Amino acid sequence: MKAGLAFLVLGYVLSQFYRAFLAVLAPVLGAEIGAGAEDLARASGLWFAAFAIMQIPVGWALDTIGPRVTAAALFGLCGAGGAAVFAMAQGPGAIQIAMVLIGIGCSPVLMASYYIFARVYSPAVFATLAGVTVGVSSLGNIASALPMASAIDAFGWRETVWALAGMTLAVALAMALLVRDPAKPDGEPKGSLLDVLRIPGLWLILPMMFVCYAPAAGIRGLWIAPYMTDVYGAVLAQIGTVTLIMGLAMAAGNLAYAPLDRLFGTRKRVVLAGNLVVVLCCLVLWIFPAGSYWTAVMLVTAIGLFGATYPMVIAHGRSFLPAHLTGRGVSLLNLFGMGGAGVMQFASGPYFAWLSTDAPPADAFGTLFGVFGLVVLLGCLPYLFAQDRTD
């Protein structure tokens, strides 16, 4: 079981990598195949959209088929296949197709881990295991920063992505060999997505789930590179450094949040506090969009650190789920989390293009980041009334 979990976590390392690596690839993709900021915003949004839409069939597959086949098949066929399409891309359209395939391939790996945690381990430690998994997996976010920039410089972007395709296929094969499906008790009741939606406690959590990941995912995965380039004149090495710093902050945040529900005896207040700090940082970037370089770095780092509440919100929602609805329930929560990030990615591209027609780059980016903060604030309002549970 532990060896299989290790490769599921490694698969999620690659998932974190793929959702963030466009930020570093942006300059070279623009220069070589004409993929501009709006093209890459669409590609990033398509990754999140594909990932989110797949949560419905993934939830069914986890409860019906089990995590081993679900994760290994999708990750191998679509994850590795999508990376191969990316490596051969000759224009923005191929990049977008590749990101859809990669999003489908990555869609089951975290939920497969969470399914096993929920079935095998005590509910009291679910949030800790979920947070540690995402924290460790944030190595992918880190690798997609300065190490990715260095690999592109040393080997070229196509060669680097081909290597990633091979690594993805190898991890999928290891999942097929080593992941073990948890036993299901005899006579366990059947369930459906409608049964999950009938749980009233989830309804006030889903809006928070929809917005909590959007600022960190959007800024780290897409907008940090053009922001640093257009406002501060950053070069590739500087972009790699800033994305590395923000990636480290996101990893540290996931690890730091993991035990806080048991330490403070509350999940809701921990989630609210972290997201309100994110709101504050986004609003400061809105008000002072062209402040000092290091002030901007500190603010985006704080967004990564305090915005890492994603596994804590999933753990909060998980506490309302009966065992037979675990797969469908955590996948529904993940659909909202990734779907929210995807919607923001889709919307941010044309919105930024519209802002840029009448405003200098600093003001356009500042307004974009401010809207990220306002969206999170809207998600916090219904969450104030959610039932607080730590079991």
Side-chain angles (χ1 to χ4, degrees), residues 227 231-232 280-293 295-297 299 362-363 365-367 369-370:
Y227 173 56
V231 178
Y232 298 102
L280 179 62
C281 292
C282 289
L283 295 180
V284 171
L285 284 168
W286 192 357
I287 297 168
F288 305 106
S292 76
Y293 175 82
T295 298
V297 172
L299 287 169
D363 291 343
F365 280 110
T367 303
F369 297 156

mmCIF file of all heavy atoms in Angstrom, residues 227 231-232 280-293 295-297 299 362-363 365-367 369-370:
data_model
loop_
_atom_site.group_PDB
_atom_site.id
_atom_site.type_symbol
_atom_site.label_atom_id
_atom_site.label_comp_id
_atom_site.label_asym_id
_atom_site.label_seq_id
_atom_site.Cartn_x
_atom_site.Cartn_y
_atom_site.Cartn_z
ATOM 1 N N TYR A 227 3.795 39.390 -15.555
ATOM 2 C CA TYR A 227 3.802 40.499 -14.591
ATOM 3 C C TYR A 227 5.225 40.955 -14.305
ATOM 4 O O TYR A 227 5.554 42.148 -14.389
ATOM 5 C CB TYR A 227 3.105 40.047 -13.308
ATOM 6 C CG TYR A 227 3.168 41.034 -12.156
ATOM 7 C CD1 TYR A 227 2.710 42.338 -12.302
ATOM 8 C CD2 TYR A 227 3.662 40.645 -10.920
ATOM 9 C CE1 TYR A 227 2.758 43.239 -11.242
ATOM 10 C CE2 TYR A 227 3.708 41.531 -9.856
ATOM 11 C CZ TYR A 227 3.255 42.824 -10.021
ATOM 12 O OH TYR A 227 3.308 43.706 -8.972
ATOM 13 N N VAL A 231 6.306 44.537 -15.975
ATOM 14 C CA VAL A 231 6.350 45.613 -14.977
ATOM 15 C C VAL A 231 7.767 45.843 -14.466
ATOM 16 O O VAL A 231 8.174 46.993 -14.239
ATOM 17 C CB VAL A 231 5.390 45.305 -13.810
ATOM 18 C CG1 VAL A 231 5.466 46.390 -12.731
ATOM 19 C CG2 VAL A 231 3.957 45.167 -14.322
ATOM 20 N N TYR A 232 8.555 44.778 -14.323
ATOM 21 C CA TYR A 232 9.882 44.905 -13.712
ATOM 22 C C TYR A 232 11.032 44.543 -14.657
ATOM 23 O O TYR A 232 12.188 44.555 -14.250
ATOM 24 C CB TYR A 232 9.958 44.037 -12.445
ATOM 25 C CG TYR A 232 8.972 44.478 -11.395
ATOM 26 C CD1 TYR A 232 7.787 43.778 -11.196
ATOM 27 C CD2 TYR A 232 9.201 45.610 -10.616
ATOM 28 C CE1 TYR A 232 6.858 44.185 -10.239
ATOM 29 C CE2 TYR A 232 8.291 46.021 -9.656
ATOM 30 C CZ TYR A 232 7.121 45.318 -9.477
ATOM 31 O OH TYR A 232 6.210 45.735 -8.533
ATOM 32 N N LEU A 280 -6.211 40.324 1.309
ATOM 33 C CA LEU A 280 -5.461 41.537 1.640
ATOM 34 C C LEU A 280 -4.269 41.723 0.700
ATOM 35 O O LEU A 280 -4.034 42.833 0.184
ATOM 36 C CB LEU A 280 -4.989 41.473 3.089
ATOM 37 C CG LEU A 280 -4.157 42.659 3.585
ATOM 38 C CD1 LEU A 280 -4.962 43.951 3.517
ATOM 39 C CD2 LEU A 280 -3.664 42.402 5.013
ATOM 40 N N CYS A 281 -3.515 40.653 0.441
ATOM 41 C CA CYS A 281 -2.345 40.748 -0.443
ATOM 42 C C CYS A 281 -2.757 41.135 -1.864
ATOM 43 O O CYS A 281 -2.099 41.960 -2.513
ATOM 44 C CB CYS A 281 -1.583 39.425 -0.465
ATOM 45 S SG CYS A 281 -0.780 39.003 1.095
ATOM 46 N N CYS A 282 -3.852 40.549 -2.357
ATOM 47 C CA CYS A 282 -4.324 40.875 -3.710
ATOM 48 C C CYS A 282 -4.749 42.334 -3.794
ATOM 49 O O CYS A 282 -4.480 43.021 -4.792
ATOM 50 C CB CYS A 282 -5.489 39.966 -4.086
ATOM 51 S SG CYS A 282 -5.036 38.240 -4.406
ATOM 52 N N LEU A 283 -5.400 42.828 -2.745
ATOM 53 C CA LEU A 283 -5.839 44.223 -2.760
ATOM 54 C C LEU A 283 -4.664 45.186 -2.684
ATOM 55 O O LEU A 283 -4.687 46.260 -3.295
ATOM 56 C CB LEU A 283 -6.818 44.471 -1.613
ATOM 57 C CG LEU A 283 -8.157 43.714 -1.708
ATOM 58 C CD1 LEU A 283 -9.049 44.042 -0.521
ATOM 59 C CD2 LEU A 283 -8.873 44.022 -3.016
ATOM 60 N N VAL A 284 -3.612 44.794 -1.953
ATOM 61 C CA VAL A 284 -2.408 45.636 -1.916
ATOM 62 C C VAL A 284 -1.766 45.703 -3.297
ATOM 63 O O VAL A 284 -1.324 46.778 -3.746
ATOM 64 C CB VAL A 284 -1.407 45.113 -0.855
ATOM 65 C CG1 VAL A 284 -0.076 45.853 -0.964
ATOM 66 C CG2 VAL A 284 -1.981 45.274 0.547
ATOM 67 N N LEU A 285 -1.713 44.582 -4.004
ATOM 68 C CA LEU A 285 -1.189 44.593 -5.375
ATOM 69 C C LEU A 285 -2.049 45.455 -6.294
ATOM 70 O O LEU A 285 -1.541 46.076 -7.232
ATOM 71 C CB LEU A 285 -1.117 43.161 -5.918
ATOM 72 C CG LEU A 285 0.026 42.287 -5.411
ATOM 73 C CD1 LEU A 285 -0.201 40.828 -5.791
ATOM 74 C CD2 LEU A 285 1.369 42.781 -5.941
ATOM 75 N N TRP A 286 -3.341 45.510 -6.042
ATOM 76 C CA TRP A 286 -4.243 46.349 -6.822
ATOM 77 C C TRP A 286 -3.958 47.835 -6.576
ATOM 78 O O TRP A 286 -3.862 48.638 -7.503
ATOM 79 C CB TRP A 286 -5.686 46.025 -6.441
ATOM 80 C CG TRP A 286 -6.728 46.604 -7.360
ATOM 81 C CD1 TRP A 286 -6.531 47.418 -8.434
ATOM 82 C CD2 TRP A 286 -8.137 46.379 -7.291
ATOM 83 N NE1 TRP A 286 -7.726 47.717 -9.034
ATOM 84 C CE2 TRP A 286 -8.736 47.100 -8.361
ATOM 85 C CE3 TRP A 286 -8.954 45.641 -6.443
ATOM 86 C CZ2 TRP A 286 -10.114 47.105 -8.568
ATOM 87 C CZ3 TRP A 286 -10.320 45.643 -6.663
ATOM 88 C CH2 TRP A 286 -10.885 46.363 -7.709
ATOM 89 N N ILE A 287 -3.772 48.177 -5.294
ATOM 90 C CA ILE A 287 -3.573 49.580 -4.930
ATOM 91 C C ILE A 287 -2.166 50.060 -5.301
ATOM 92 O O ILE A 287 -1.972 51.192 -5.741
ATOM 93 C CB ILE A 287 -3.828 49.771 -3.423
ATOM 94 C CG1 ILE A 287 -5.291 49.427 -3.100
ATOM 95 C CG2 ILE A 287 -3.527 51.210 -2.995
ATOM 96 C CD1 ILE A 287 -5.567 49.296 -1.623
ATOM 97 N N PHE A 288 -1.173 49.169 -5.130
ATOM 98 C CA PHE A 288 0.227 49.532 -5.426
ATOM 99 C C PHE A 288 0.806 48.553 -6.449
ATOM 100 O O PHE A 288 1.683 47.749 -6.120
ATOM 101 C CB PHE A 288 1.071 49.509 -4.149
ATOM 102 C CG PHE A 288 0.534 50.379 -3.048
ATOM 103 C CD1 PHE A 288 -0.097 49.824 -1.944
ATOM 104 C CD2 PHE A 288 0.661 51.761 -3.115
ATOM 105 C CE1 PHE A 288 -0.591 50.623 -0.926
ATOM 106 C CE2 PHE A 288 0.178 52.573 -2.093
ATOM 107 C CZ PHE A 288 -0.461 52.004 -0.998
ATOM 108 N N PRO A 289 0.341 48.581 -7.697
ATOM 109 C CA PRO A 289 0.747 47.565 -8.683
ATOM 110 C C PRO A 289 2.185 47.691 -9.146
ATOM 111 O O PRO A 289 2.754 46.732 -9.671
ATOM 112 C CB PRO A 289 -0.219 47.813 -9.839
ATOM 113 C CG PRO A 289 -0.564 49.262 -9.742
ATOM 114 C CD PRO A 289 -0.606 49.553 -8.270
ATOM 115 N N ALA A 290 2.779 48.858 -8.978
ATOM 116 C CA ALA A 290 4.156 49.059 -9.448
ATOM 117 C C ALA A 290 5.053 49.464 -8.299
ATOM 118 O O ALA A 290 5.929 50.320 -8.435
ATOM 119 C CB ALA A 290 4.192 50.116 -10.546
ATOM 120 N N GLY A 291 4.853 48.835 -7.144
ATOM 121 C CA GLY A 291 5.740 49.076 -6.012
ATOM 122 C C GLY A 291 7.104 48.486 -6.270
ATOM 123 O O GLY A 291 7.447 48.095 -7.392
ATOM 124 N N SER A 292 7.896 48.367 -5.227
ATOM 125 C CA SER A 292 9.242 47.826 -5.408
ATOM 126 C C SER A 292 9.188 46.358 -5.831
ATOM 127 O O SER A 292 8.223 45.643 -5.538
ATOM 128 C CB SER A 292 10.045 47.962 -4.114
ATOM 129 O OG SER A 292 9.639 46.998 -3.171
ATOM 130 N N TYR A 293 10.215 45.933 -6.524
ATOM 131 C CA TYR A 293 10.309 44.554 -7.012
ATOM 132 C C TYR A 293 10.159 43.554 -5.867
ATOM 133 O O TYR A 293 9.371 42.607 -5.947
ATOM 134 C CB TYR A 293 11.653 44.367 -7.710
ATOM 135 C CG TYR A 293 11.964 42.965 -8.160
ATOM 136 C CD1 TYR A 293 11.453 42.467 -9.348
ATOM 137 C CD2 TYR A 293 12.789 42.138 -7.388
ATOM 138 C CE1 TYR A 293 11.752 41.180 -9.769
ATOM 139 C CE2 TYR A 293 13.096 40.851 -7.801
ATOM 140 C CZ TYR A 293 12.575 40.367 -8.993
ATOM 141 O OH TYR A 293 12.874 39.089 -9.400
ATOM 142 N N THR A 295 8.890 43.997 -2.882
ATOM 143 C CA THR A 295 7.562 44.039 -2.271
ATOM 144 C C THR A 295 6.596 43.160 -3.059
ATOM 145 O O THR A 295 5.809 42.394 -2.481
ATOM 146 C CB THR A 295 7.029 45.481 -2.218
ATOM 147 O OG1 THR A 295 7.898 46.281 -1.409
ATOM 148 C CG2 THR A 295 5.622 45.520 -1.637
ATOM 149 N N ALA A 296 6.674 43.250 -4.391
ATOM 150 C CA ALA A 296 5.828 42.403 -5.226
ATOM 151 C C ALA A 296 6.137 40.929 -4.999
ATOM 152 O O ALA A 296 5.226 40.093 -4.901
ATOM 153 C CB ALA A 296 6.019 42.766 -6.698
ATOM 154 N N VAL A 297 7.421 40.593 -4.901
ATOM 155 C CA VAL A 297 7.807 39.200 -4.655
ATOM 156 C C VAL A 297 7.245 38.723 -3.310
ATOM 157 O O VAL A 297 6.711 37.612 -3.196
ATOM 158 C CB VAL A 297 9.342 39.047 -4.692
ATOM 159 C CG1 VAL A 297 9.754 37.646 -4.232
ATOM 160 C CG2 VAL A 297 9.868 39.316 -6.092
ATOM 161 N N LEU A 299 4.615 39.814 -1.721
ATOM 162 C CA LEU A 299 3.159 39.692 -1.760
ATOM 163 C C LEU A 299 2.725 38.421 -2.480
ATOM 164 O O LEU A 299 1.824 37.705 -2.010
ATOM 165 C CB LEU A 299 2.559 40.928 -2.432
ATOM 166 C CG LEU A 299 2.582 42.210 -1.587
ATOM 167 C CD1 LEU A 299 2.228 43.422 -2.438
ATOM 168 C CD2 LEU A 299 1.626 42.095 -0.400
ATOM 169 N N ALA A 362 1.276 47.848 -15.470
ATOM 170 C CA ALA A 362 1.194 47.752 -14.011
ATOM 171 C C ALA A 362 -0.245 47.873 -13.531
ATOM 172 O O ALA A 362 -0.700 47.097 -12.673
ATOM 173 C CB ALA A 362 2.064 48.834 -13.368
ATOM 174 N N ASP A 363 -0.989 48.825 -14.068
ATOM 175 C CA ASP A 363 -2.378 49.011 -13.644
ATOM 176 C C ASP A 363 -3.257 47.838 -14.073
ATOM 177 O O ASP A 363 -4.159 47.411 -13.334
ATOM 178 C CB ASP A 363 -2.925 50.314 -14.225
ATOM 179 C CG ASP A 363 -2.286 51.549 -13.604
ATOM 180 O OD1 ASP A 363 -1.675 51.416 -12.515
ATOM 181 O OD2 ASP A 363 -2.371 52.631 -14.207
ATOM 182 N N PHE A 365 -2.305 44.665 -14.527
ATOM 183 C CA PHE A 365 -2.019 43.530 -13.648
ATOM 184 C C PHE A 365 -2.582 43.766 -12.256
ATOM 185 O O PHE A 365 -3.131 42.844 -11.624
ATOM 186 C CB PHE A 365 -0.511 43.282 -13.566
ATOM 187 C CG PHE A 365 0.054 42.540 -14.733
ATOM 188 C CD1 PHE A 365 0.875 43.165 -15.659
ATOM 189 C CD2 PHE A 365 -0.250 41.198 -14.923
ATOM 190 C CE1 PHE A 365 1.402 42.478 -16.738
ATOM 191 C CE2 PHE A 365 0.265 40.499 -16.006
ATOM 192 C CZ PHE A 365 1.094 41.134 -16.920
ATOM 193 N N GLY A 366 -2.447 44.992 -11.739
ATOM 194 C CA GLY A 366 -2.966 45.288 -10.416
ATOM 195 C C GLY A 366 -4.460 45.056 -10.325
ATOM 196 O O GLY A 366 -4.959 44.451 -9.366
ATOM 197 N N THR A 367 -5.199 45.502 -11.337
ATOM 198 C CA THR A 367 -6.641 45.284 -11.343
ATOM 199 C C THR A 367 -6.971 43.799 -11.422
ATOM 200 O O THR A 367 -7.878 43.314 -10.735
ATOM 201 C CB THR A 367 -7.282 46.030 -12.531
ATOM 202 O OG1 THR A 367 -6.955 47.421 -12.439
ATOM 203 C CG2 THR A 367 -8.785 45.855 -12.532
ATOM 204 N N PHE A 369 -5.187 41.257 -10.337
ATOM 205 C CA PHE A 369 -4.928 40.627 -9.043
ATOM 206 C C PHE A 369 -5.965 41.055 -8.006
ATOM 207 O O PHE A 369 -6.355 40.262 -7.141
ATOM 208 C CB PHE A 369 -3.518 40.964 -8.564
ATOM 209 C CG PHE A 369 -2.421 40.445 -9.476
ATOM 210 C CD1 PHE A 369 -1.174 41.048 -9.500
ATOM 211 C CD2 PHE A 369 -2.646 39.363 -10.313
ATOM 212 C CE1 PHE A 369 -0.172 40.581 -10.332
ATOM 213 C CE2 PHE A 369 -1.647 38.884 -11.153
ATOM 214 C CZ PHE A 369 -0.400 39.495 -11.169
ATOM 215 N N GLY A 370 -6.408 42.317 -8.088
ATOM 216 C CA GLY A 370 -7.450 42.768 -7.176
ATOM 217 C C GLY A 370 -8.742 41.993 -7.348
ATOM 218 O O GLY A 370 -9.427 41.664 -6.369
#
